[in-house]
Amino acid sequence: MGKRIFSAVLLSIITTIVAFSQEKLFNHVKVDSPVIHADGRVTFQLFAPNAHEVVVQGDCIVPEKDGQQRAKMVKDERGLWSYTTSILGAELYSYCFQVDGVTMNDPANIYMNRDISTYSNIFIVSKSKDDCGHLYRVNEVLHGNISKVWYPSPSLKMNRRMTIYTPANYEKGGHYPVLYLLHGAGGDENAWSELGRAAQIMDNLIAEGKAKPMIVVMPNGNTNCQAAPGEWSFGMYTPSFMGETGPKKPAVTDMANSFLDIVNYVDSHYRTIKERCGRAICGLSMGGGQTFNVSRLYPKLFDFYGLFSAGLHLNGKIEQNSSSLYDQIQHDSLIQVQLEQLFKSKPRCYWIAIGRDDFLWQMNADLRKYFDEHHYPYRFYQTEGGHVWRNWRLYLSWFAPILFQ
């Protein structure tokens, strides 16, 4: 009988320990955050009994009149603050907390992304297998591999690092087309694989038969840096928006001028299709501008070009005058000749996309105006919103399926 009682007590203790280990507890208050409800609402919780005001801020909050996306959380008698959103659409969202004016991440959520020098928590809402949330998830499909690859750049006189995605079954042989995927200002070779969910998007598109298996090369577009912050010899510096932290200030055209170093390395170390028909390039913001410059300098190197909210700067510098991009092209005979040569070479697709509220919208409209006047063929997509990752992930998911078909 004594053994039975002892066994029952032991079982009770073990059960209690297991139950507690499966919960996130703060001073014996259970905190689950975020909680994604079946209808798409999301509840945030934070245990902060001594706080006077807690605010949740992020792209999951309906904007206020001043454009701020923030909401005050409500405190209960235990010191647990909570807030439940309205019904959210399928998407990857980011957020943080402000506790008495101090920004902090959600201690109950281990999933975070770094955007330049800021960390935010993330979560995904998905309601069907046909929405973008499902596309950004890690699903039960065959997975490609992500590698961090160092390569020599003779043009820049340094060794540099890039991220390379190889599709599932790459190891079994065969030759593959290559998509060169460029990040924006403040980003690095980690941006598309982390913020952009590039590996998940490609895994899912390929598994569903919506995109051809391809290699995706994500280089570091900051030509004064060898790699992402803290991952090269310059040390643990604070990253900046324009990537100006480094031994020298980068020039706008450095990336385009040195791009053959990347292509040559990839072609010599991977089983690629070493022809124009097997190469595509696209980029967001600064990377869109770099794509534009690459298209002018190497008109027969790629068959597909994608400009995502492109920051377009001419003559190797960011223009500070008030003239429009259209006027700048009109007064630059070299660029006119380069664009004429590019479209005479008949690339299979020149693709432009931007949000209607993007601060670069007019610059892209100027480029389209010039293309239209010269009857240069291109595809154009306008989405809602501004200069945000929500748009760029979508653009990749739309651009990749048209490649190499």
Side-chain angles (χ1 to χ4, degrees):
M1 205 50 193
K3 289 183 178 180
R4 290 181 180 176
I5 294 173
F6 175 78
S7 297
V9 172
L10 181 61
L11 179 60
S12 175
I13 293 172
I14 292 173
T15 301
T16 301
I17 292 173
V18 171
F20 270 67
S21 69
Q22 292 175 343
E23 299 176 351
K24 294 184 281 286
L25 295 176
F26 297 85
N27 287 353
H28 303 291
V29 175
K30 181 181 177 182
V31 179
D32 285 322
S33 181
V35 177
I36 302 173
H37 304 284
D39 63 357
R41 293 177 303 123
V42 175
T43 296
F44 302 100
Q45 298 188 109
L46 177 69
F47 182 71
N50 298 321
H52 296 94
E53 181 183 68
V54 178
V55 171
V56 58
Q57 182 170 325
D59 56 5
C60 50
I61 308 299
V62 176
E64 298 176 349
K65 290 182 179 179
D66 60 0
Q68 291 291 317
Q69 293 180 277
R70 58 201 310 271
K72 290 184 177 181
M73 301 175 72
V74 177
K75 182 181 179 181
D76 69 11
E77 68 280 357
R78 299 170 297 170
L80 183 67
W81 298 78
S82 63
Y83 174 80
T84 299
T85 69
S86 57
I87 295 175
L88 300 177
E91 187 53 75
L92 184 149
Y93 295 93
S94 61
Y95 71 99
C96 64
F97 294 140
Q98 289 185 345
V99 181
D100 292 336
V102 178
T103 301
M104 64 174 286
N105 293 118
D106 186 345
N109 183 0
I110 65 170
Y111 300 102
M112 291 186 288
N113 272 338
R114 177 181 64 86
D115 193 356
I116 309 179
S117 59
T118 301
Y119 275 93
S120 298
N121 292 105
I122 60 171
F123 63 93
I124 296 173
V125 172
S126 177
K127 299 178 182 180
S128 78
K129 291 185 177 181
D130 297 320
D131 64 33
C132 64
H134 181 79
L135 192 62
Y136 305 154
R137 282 180 167 175
V138 178
N139 295 312
E140 192 59 44
V141 298
L142 292 176
H143 301 297
N145 289 316
I146 286 284
S147 302
K148 303 296 181 181
V149 179
W150 287 90
Y151 70 99
S153 177
S155 301
L156 297 174
K157 297 180 175 57
M158 66 173 79
N159 289 320
R160 310 192 72 237
R161 196 177 77 161
M162 54 187 165
T163 299
I164 297 184
Y165 166 91
T166 50
N169 296 321
Y170 172 82
E171 295 77 10
K172 293 184 179 180
H175 290 77
Y176 291 82
V178 184
L179 168 63
Y180 293 83
L181 182 59
L182 312 184
H183 63 79
D188 48 60
E189 75 274 18
N190 295 335
W192 266 111
S193 60
E194 296 175 5
L195 288 159
R197 307 292 284 185
Q200 291 79 14
I201 290 172
M202 296 309 302
D203 278 351
N204 291 323
L205 287 176
I206 293 169
E208 295 169 9
K210 295 178 179 178
K212 291 225 175 216
M214 67 187 78
I215 298 168
V216 182
V217 176
M218 296 162 266
N220 189 313
N222 306 303
T223 54
N224 61 332
C225 301
Q226 293 180 359
E231 300 184 36
W232 62 294
S233 59
F234 202 66
M236 296 182 181
Y237 59 91
T238 301
S240 63
F241 175 67
M242 291 303 294
E244 293 180 352
T245 303
K248 67 183 184 71
K249 186 174 181 178
V252 171
T253 55
D254 279 353
M255 186 62 174
N257 290 331
S258 63
F259 210 83
L260 283 181
D261 295 346
I262 299 171
V263 175
N264 290 337
Y265 181 90
V266 171
D267 277 348
S268 64
H269 288 75
Y270 291 82
R271 297 192 312 278
T272 65
I273 297 173
K274 300 176 177 64
E275 301 175 52
R276 182 184 192 182
C277 64
R279 298 192 189 103
I281 183 171
C282 65
L284 71 91
S285 193
M286 178 182 78
Q290 291 168 342
T291 298
F292 174 71
N293 289 328
V294 166
S295 76
R296 296 189 292 111
L297 292 176
Y298 313 108
K300 296 183 180 180
L301 189 60
F302 299 91
D303 233 352
F304 302 86
Y305 300 92
L307 275 57
F308 303 172
S309 309
L312 302 161
H313 304 294
L314 311 181
N315 303 319
K317 61 185 178 181
I318 298 176
E319 300 291 345
Q320 299 298 328
N321 56 48
S322 58
S323 62
S324 68
L325 180 79
Y326 175 82
D327 290 337
Q328 292 175 43
I329 297 176
Q330 289 284 65
H331 290 88
D332 194 317
S333 59
L334 175 60
I335 289 178
Q336 292 175 31
V337 170
Q338 289 173 331
L339 290 173
E340 182 182 10
Q341 291 175 339
L342 169 65
F343 284 99
K344 274 187 177 180
S345 73
K346 297 183 178 179
R348 291 178 63 187
C349 182
Y350 207 101
W351 201 92
I352 301 172
I354 193 166
R356 66 174 69 249
D357 299 321
D358 198 303
F359 72 97
L360 296 176
W361 190 91
Q362 186 57 53
M363 183 180 289
N364 282 256
D366 286 347
L367 181 64
R368 290 168 40 231
K369 178 181 178 181
Y370 184 83
F371 282 6
D372 289 340
E373 288 182 354
H374 290 77
H375 306 289
Y376 294 154
Y378 66 93
R379 300 188 193 184
F380 175 64
Y381 297 85
Q382 180 173 279
T383 55
E384 300 298 324
H387 208 70
V388 291
W389 274 103
R390 177 182 299 199
N391 274 335
W392 303 325
R393 285 187 291 264
L394 274 181
Y395 299 161
L396 175 60
S397 72
W398 295 344
F399 186 63
I402 71 173
L403 303 178
F404 317 118
Q405 299 293 343

